[in-house]
Amino acid sequence: ISTAMFFLAPFSVMAQEKMSYMAIKAGAISPAGDFDDAGFESGFNGEIALGRYFDPDAAIEGGIGFYRSEANASDPVSAEDDSVWVIPITGTVKGVLPFNDVNLFGGVGLGIYFASAEVKFKDKTSGVSDKFTDEDTVFGFHVSIGANVNITPKMFLGFEGRRIWTEEAEFRGSLFGSIQTV
């Protein structure tokens, strides 16, 4: 028992030092599937996350964010500007591999994604314009991998890559049709 306590005590202290955290994340979203096929460009991604270590090697994290992507198409007769906004609410379970001032992590999680689409269409020959918006909510799954570098005992700088799979979002309208959420 004494030997076990000797080896487990440092992990207990480490977990107490890092019980909860808040992360502000900024990055880019890269469209895939139907979004990529429709010419949507990489866009802004921001998130605020709250996490809690329940062990030095494991944490849970909840976040709310914002994604945005746009696509533009034009020919001599018409022009179309499409925008998609997504507000994700996610939960992630992370496995953490702690080193001195660097923590490597990988995670899996679920999310609900509130998506909005806006399409603006203009017929250049007649000058007639049309616009519509639509919304849909889909569920998804994600995996993530990354690293955090501790700058001070209470501040870290991190990098995270995340791959998201969702149900297909259905946007109704004569111009937009049906596309898949990123």
Side-chain angles (χ1 to χ4, degrees):
I1 295 174
S2 297
T3 304
M5 292 299 288
F6 176 76
F7 287 109
L8 294 176
F11 294 114
S12 171
V13 170
M14 185 186 297
Q16 290 174 3
E17 290 175 4
K18 298 184 189 182
M19 291 301 276
S20 298
Y21 64 91
M22 181 176 86
I24 299 171
K25 304 176 184 183
I29 182 86
S30 180
D34 291 342
F35 273 127
D36 190 33
D37 295 342
F40 278 84
E41 301 170 354
S42 294
F44 174 77
N45 170 26
E47 182 179 1
I48 295 175
L50 298 175
R52 181 157 181 91
Y53 283 87
F54 55 89
D55 186 81
D57 301 326
I60 55 173
E61 184 177 283
I64 184 166
F66 176 78
Y67 309 155
R68 182 183 167 132
S69 184
E70 296 179 346
N72 303 302
S74 182
D75 60 32
V77 178
S78 63
E80 184 175 329
D81 295 319
D82 303 334
S83 298
V84 174
W85 305 272
V86 179
I87 297 176
I89 299 175
T90 59
T92 307
V93 176
K94 292 183 171 184
V96 181
L97 188 57
F99 293 104
N100 290 331
D101 286 332
V102 177
N103 292 333
L104 303 177
F105 64 86
V108 296
L110 300 172
I112 184 167
Y113 300 83
F114 301 95
S116 297
E118 179 180 84
V119 174
K120 296 178 185 176
F121 178 81
K122 182 174 184 175
D123 183 326
K124 293 179 179 178
T125 57
S126 68
V128 174
S129 295
D130 193 9
K131 173 183 163 183
F132 86 88
T133 59
D134 196 13
E135 298 177 350
D136 195 11
T137 302
V138 296
F139 295 93
F141 167 79
H142 64 266
V143 295
S144 61
I145 188 167
N148 293 329
V149 178
N150 296 323
I151 297 171
T152 69
K154 294 189 178 202
M155 183 182 288
F156 64 86
L157 180 63
F159 172 80
E160 178 179 12
R162 184 180 286 182
R163 174 69 169 118
I164 303 167
W165 294 270
T166 67
E167 299 173 0
E168 190 168 298
E170 298 290 332
F171 298 114
R172 293 175 299 281
S174 59
L175 303 174
F176 210 74
S178 172
I179 62 174
Q180 183 175 347
T181 304
V182 290

